[in-house]
Amino acid sequence: MNLTTQLNGGGEMHVIVVYDVSSDRTHIFRKLLRRRLEHVQQSVFFGELTEGQVTSMKNEIEEKLVPEDSVVVFESTSPAAFDFTTFGASQEPGSRFT
Amino acid sequence: MTKPNHHIFADGELSRNEGTLRIDTLDGETEYLPIESIDTLYLHGQIDFNTRALGLLNEHNVPLHIFGWKDYYRGSYLPKRGQVSGNTVVEQVRAYDNLDRRLQIGQTIIEASIHNMRANLRYYNDRQGNFSTELEDLEELKNSAAGTTDINELRSVEGRARKTYYGCFDRILRSPFTLTQRKYNPPTNEANAVISFLNGMVYTTSVSAIRKTALDPTVGFVHEPGERRFTLSLDIADIFKPILADRLLFRLVNRKQLSIDDFEEELEGCLLDEKGRMTVLEEFEETLDKTIDHPRLNRKVSFKTLVQTDVYSLKKHVLTDEPYHATERWW
């Protein structure tokens, strides 16, 4: 299966979100991100979102933030320039099958 | 942009957890689905779920289609209507009840359907055989659809067109795949099995698209309401079967992506096994994502969006009498 085409079809923005927060606060961001993105690893999320979804996600992150928290949102509007390689036990992101 | 669909093949349990969907498979794995990034959810395995899971689908307007054994399509759980407009339903029923308007919409649908069948034959003409007689017959049938005076006559034109069209499949399909006769419930051979499965997918794609409008899925124009299925979805599916299903079948078979091993024999039937279904679905999803330039909209649209715009066009026609553009392959 050609994964690149598959990914391109769905969306406008590829997004990677990572967070580094105290362990008693991880559930807050996990919950917020899981609704929109794929949970790739512990504190790493990936997916395709519309601009509107990205904006509302950022707003929600901001609301939940305390000064010690750190969250980074990477985004790319040109899906063609986006590629990835998975190693080890990682599942290919973007699969539509479970 | 349209969101992607998600298919669950695993057996297990579907539940609501932390505001999103959680799947616990029998293999002991847990996965979370981003509920806000899913268009439609398909269940292919044996899944338990509860009302809380359905409530979540409801909140996020995600339709659920269930595929099982035999003729594949089992049923749908549709979220409460996001779009409600009494006006649209009234106008839709009026259009259905007015013999002239109903016939006119029906003719547009059947003409588009025959056009799309012809487009497939034209593509394979001289590639896999000579279809010039059938192409002419279909052209004639398409013209006679425009001249029909009642819906039964129109349906018989449609029936003849489909028979002519299916009659060509045998020559397009690489052996050992054959289609001497279209049979379903359950499908009797491999080609029939793929057609049934894909037609089910086209049907559910139409159901999802209609759900995004205020149109009532049970009131169709070519098909008679009261056939227990969503008859409007059957109408829309007829337009898209040649584009989304049949062409894919030819490709899968002729490029040997599917083999006879991908099927299992059942009592008097033949069905795709799990691996075969996965192969077909991966390609079907890719087909939905494929984009083409849309001359009227003046932008690129995916095939999935094309189904949606077709439904929007029908809705607009019903409401304002603007011409209905049933999708005829132009590319």
Side-chain angles (χ1 to χ4, degrees):
Chain A
M1 179 178 41
N2 184 341
L3 203 62
T4 331
T5 12
Q6 189 194 19
L7 290 175
N8 291 352
E12 287 168 354
M13 230 178 239
H14 281 77
V15 184
I16 297 168
V17 184
V18 300
Y19 59 73
D20 192 355
V21 302
S22 65
S23 60
D24 58 330
R25 293 182 48 79
T26 51
H27 68 280
I28 297 172
F29 294 97
R30 190 181 61 220
K31 180 176 176 182
L32 189 163
L33 295 171
R34 256 187 197 158
R35 274 181 8 231
R36 307 177 167 94
L37 300 167
E38 201 176 322
H39 199 166
V40 187
Q41 284 174 12
Q42 291 287 355
S43 54
V44 182
F45 290 77
F46 165 82
E48 281 173 90
L49 299 177
T50 60
E51 267 179 71
Q53 278 180 309
V54 174
T55 311
S56 76
M57 178 180 74
K58 284 179 177 170
N59 289 339
E60 240 183 280
I61 292 174
E62 220 167 3
E63 275 169 33
K64 300 276 158 65
L65 221 56
V66 296
E68 302 82 50
D69 292 344
S70 148
V71 182
V72 185
V73 179
F74 298 89
E75 40 193 298
S76 158
T77 43
S78 71
F82 189 92
D83 208 350
F84 59 80
T85 314
T86 55
F87 293 101
S90 327
Q91 283 187 329
E92 296 239 315
S95 169
R96 296 178 186 188
F97 300 93
T98 306
Chain B
M1 113 167 207
T2 53
K3 297 174 184 173
N5 303 328
H6 195 92
H7 300 264
I8 303 178
F9 272 88
D11 300 336
E13 195 186 328
L14 190 66
S15 59
R16 175 188 184 135
N17 187 260
E18 292 194 342
T20 195
L21 273 182
R22 165 179 170 153
I23 308 163
D24 291 287
T25 68
L26 286 187
D27 313 340
E29 294 205 18
T30 301
E31 273 200 48
Y32 294 86
L33 287 186
I35 187 72
E36 291 182 20
S37 305
I38 293 179
D39 184 76
T40 299
L41 187 63
Y42 286 88
L43 303 186
H44 301 272
Q46 298 298 318
I47 315 264
D48 294 338
F49 53 86
N50 58 19
T51 46
R52 272 163 48 82
L54 291 183
L56 184 75
L57 296 174
N58 213 354
E59 277 165 35
H60 293 277
N61 265 312
V62 177
L64 174 78
H65 301 301
I66 301 162
F67 276 64
W69 220 227
K70 277 272 219 141
D71 215 15
Y72 299 115
Y73 175 68
R74 274 284 163 80
S76 305
Y77 169 78
L78 299 178
K80 72 174 186 313
R81 303 202 68 96
Q83 297 287 327
V84 275
S85 150
N87 198 21
T88 306
V89 180
V90 169
E91 288 303 328
Q92 182 187 356
V93 174
R94 275 199 185 135
Y96 164 79
D97 214 28
N98 177 322
L99 289 181
D100 289 339
R101 281 183 78 190
R102 178 182 180 191
L103 187 63
Q104 204 195 355
I105 295 172
Q107 285 167 340
T108 312
I109 290 171
I110 298 305
E111 284 171 66
S113 176
I114 299 178
H115 173 96
N116 293 331
M117 295 181 209
R118 278 193 87 234
N120 279 357
L121 291 190
R122 210 167 45 224
Y123 178 82
Y124 286 102
N125 194 24
D126 291 333
R127 226 179 271 237
Q128 308 282 351
N130 188 321
F131 301 115
S132 42
T133 333
E134 287 84 358
L135 281 167
E136 260 170 52
D137 290 351
L138 285 182
E139 176 82 64
E140 242 168 70
L141 283 166
K142 186 183 172 186
N143 292 333
S144 65
T148 49
T149 51
D150 74 69
I151 214 81
N152 284 327
E153 194 186 343
L154 179 65
R155 270 203 294 254
S156 91
V157 170
E158 196 255 340
R160 268 183 288 157
R162 217 156 266 280
K163 199 158 180 237
T164 309
Y165 175 60
Y166 282 130
C168 301
F169 276 38
D170 220 18
R171 279 175 284 162
I172 298 176
L173 295 171
R174 176 200 290 266
S175 86
F177 284 85
T178 57
L179 189 92
T180 40
Q181 216 184 349
R182 173 81 184 109
K183 283 247 173 86
Y184 45 90
N185 204 10
T188 47
N189 74 0
E190 290 80 7
N192 275 302
V194 183
I195 296 174
S196 286
F197 184 59
L198 281 172
N199 283 352
M201 287 304 299
V202 177
Y203 171 78
T204 52
T205 304
S206 313
V207 173
S208 289
I210 292 168
R211 196 62 183 185
K212 292 195 182 125
T213 71
L215 288 170
D216 190 318
T218 57
V219 180
F221 296 93
V222 181
H223 293 82
E224 209 60 62
E227 288 178 40
R228 275 173 306 165
R229 284 217 182 173
F230 291 135
T231 46
L232 184 60
S233 313
L234 290 172
D235 288 359
I236 300 294
D238 270 347
I239 302 170
F240 287 96
K241 278 177 198 167
I243 297 173
L244 296 175
D246 305 336
R247 189 66 172 273
L248 186 56
L249 162 79
F250 301 146
R251 243 184 31 231
L252 286 166
V253 166
N254 291 352
R255 292 189 186 162
K256 295 190 180 164
Q257 282 169 281
L258 272 181
S259 80
I260 298 292
D261 300 338
D262 292 318
F263 298 83
E264 44 196 273
E265 297 285 332
E266 263 237 326
L267 189 64
E268 286 175 39
C270 176
L271 299 157
L272 276 161
D273 68 10
E274 194 180 307
K275 182 174 151 279
R277 287 193 203 194
M278 281 281 249
T279 309
V280 173
L281 275 180
E282 275 174 7
E283 294 292 327
F284 182 77
E285 286 289 327
E286 232 178 82
T287 308
L288 287 181
D289 285 349
K290 222 177 263 174
T291 58
I292 31 138
D293 281 313
H294 196 296
R296 252 181 312 119
L297 297 181
N298 214 354
R299 64 181 169 94
K300 271 186 174 304
V301 296
S302 68
F303 280 17
K304 194 176 187 182
T305 308
L306 213 53
V307 180
Q308 193 68 58
T309 51
D310 193 294
V311 175
Y312 285 148
S313 168
L314 178 61
K315 183 191 162 187
K316 201 152 194 201
H317 169 74
V318 163
L319 277 176
T320 66
D321 227 23
E322 259 182 52
Y324 165 41
H325 299 279
T327 310
E328 298 197 356
R329 196 179 190 115
W330 68 81
W331 58 95

